[in-house]
Amino acid sequence: MFYPEFLAGQILTAGRLNEIPPVLKYKAAGTDRTTTTLSDDPDLTFSTAANAVYETRGVLRVNTTDATNGDFNLSWTVPSGAQGLWSGIGQPTTATGSDGTVRTMGSTISASRAYGAIISGGNELAIVVHSLLVTSSAGTYAVSWARSGSAGTVSLMAFSYLALTRVG
């Protein structure tokens, strides 16, 4: 595990504190979208260092107003030249219940995947995410998301969270 080196007499700044793993971010309130254009979430966004390795874990709570056409498209914004993998465990877009088949496909860090966002009865679904990010330049690492279907409003709900840990 990576921990920043602090020296005697050094001033401890907010920036230095933010380097201590893990950095946890969560949504205090949900965000709604009606577009199919992926864009960064305003709350689940991190700054990363150059030549670093990060692990991310979290849970995304999703919902939609259209149970037939309003699924959730998930991707990541990464710094230029970054590499890595991510996986999400969540319902497929064909889900009609909370039990049964889940989508577990692993993806390159820049690939997007669609997940089911609602089941009969109006309950939200959760997507458990894990990723490994290897940077060559500093930049932004963020959950990028949109509606994947043709109708409705999709929501990334309150208490969705990510923990980013620098491991190298």
Side-chain angles (χ1 to χ4, degrees):
M1 184 156 300
F2 172 83
Y3 292 98
E5 182 177 325
F6 296 103
L7 304 172
Q10 186 175 23
I11 296 174
L12 186 58
T13 64
R16 286 292 224 159
L17 283 173
N18 287 334
E19 293 176 2
I20 299 173
V23 176
L24 179 72
K25 295 209 175 176
Y26 74 98
K27 295 188 70 61
T31 302
D32 297 336
R33 294 196 175 148
T34 57
T35 180
T36 57
T37 302
L38 291 164
S39 60
D40 293 350
D41 186 81
D43 303 307
L44 302 179
T45 300
F46 301 89
S47 294
T48 59
N51 303 311
V53 180
Y54 295 93
E55 177 193 29
T56 305
R57 296 173 184 253
V59 175
L60 305 177
R61 295 178 59 230
V62 299
N63 203 343
T64 185
T65 60
D66 188 314
T68 305
N69 301 304
D71 291 316
F72 187 84
N73 195 17
L74 173 61
S75 188
W76 301 89
T77 295
V78 299
S80 177
Q83 297 181 23
L85 299 170
W86 76 275
S87 179
I89 300 171
Q91 294 285 13
T93 57
T94 57
T96 58
S98 59
D99 295 328
T101 304
V102 294
R103 184 172 197 172
T104 60
M105 180 183 292
S107 303
T108 61
I109 199 68
S110 59
S112 64
R113 298 285 175 235
Y115 292 89
I118 195 168
I119 57 173
S120 57
N123 297 316
E124 79 270 357
L125 293 175
I127 304 167
V128 177
V129 293
H130 293 99
S131 72
L132 181 73
L133 174 71
V134 180
T135 65
S136 56
S137 60
T140 298
Y141 184 47
V143 170
S144 185
W145 62 276
R147 185 186 75 215
S148 69
S150 61
T153 299
V154 70
S155 302
L156 186 54
M157 301 174 66
F159 304 114
S160 295
Y161 72 92
L162 291 176
L164 180 74
T165 303
R166 184 167 176 181
V167 295

